[in-house]
Amino acid sequence: MSYCFLPISQEQAEDIAYNWHYEGHYSFYDMEADQEDLQAFLNPYTRGNVFAVLKKQELVAYFSIMTVADQTMEIGLGMKPSLTGKGLGYNFLKNAIDFVLANYPCEMITLSVATFNLRAIKLYRKVGFQDAHTYMQATNGGVYEFLKMDYIKGY
């Protein structure tokens, strides 16, 4: 793998939370945009199974994984803002899927993405995720539409 997935350190979590700021409507994904999410991410006891993603020993992304059902894992991810929109997402996401399949017993991987994030949705579909359904979610001081997507092992 060209990316290294390691348990995130507190210093890395704080760097992401306070220094990773996205441009335009992607600022929706800034950790500071939702105080509840920010506090959960910063607390090592509540942040869950989060990994720092390194490339050549540089923090380039974060990746979370959670069991949501038998043989089903849900992932969350974010790439360093200065690296987004440069065509790096495909390789990162393929490596992330390989990491999940190698380390967790699962047949399906799910994720949720804000429906306005067409760039990410296009990437997820290219990698093999399929649209499952949309739903409304209260977050970041409002209610937003999200798309649930599924990746089925071996499909």
Side-chain angles (χ1 to χ4, degrees), residues 4-113:
C4 179
F5 294 78
L6 298 172
I8 198 165
S9 70
Q10 186 63 27
E11 181 181 349
Q12 290 165 325
E14 290 175 11
D15 180 30
I16 291 166
Y18 297 123
N19 298 318
W20 287 21
H21 298 285
Y22 299 91
E23 293 185 17
H25 65 277
Y26 295 109
S27 65
F28 175 86
Y29 292 104
D30 289 359
M31 287 287 174
E32 295 170 303
D34 186 291
Q35 287 302 305
E36 188 176 318
D37 290 346
L38 173 66
Q39 294 310 313
F41 188 76
L42 289 174
N43 185 330
Y45 301 106
T46 60
R47 86 171 136 244
N49 210 8
V50 180
F51 295 89
V53 182
L54 308 176
K55 187 163 190 169
K56 297 181 182 174
Q57 299 184 344
E58 177 191 351
L59 178 64
V60 296
Y62 66 90
F63 181 75
S64 66
I65 186 163
M66 176 175 60
T67 302
V68 292
D70 186 42
Q71 298 291 313
T72 304
M73 305 302 290
E74 182 172 43
I75 62 170
L77 54 132
M79 185 169 267
K80 191 173 189 174
S82 63
L83 301 176
T84 61
K86 299 183 189 241
L88 303 172
Y90 183 84
N91 190 35
F92 164 51
L93 187 53
K94 288 294 281 181
N95 275 253
I97 291 168
D98 289 346
F99 175 78
V100 173
L101 296 177
N103 292 285
Y104 298 89
C106 70
E107 294 298 319
M108 184 165 63
I109 301 169
T110 68
L111 59 78
S112 294
V113 58

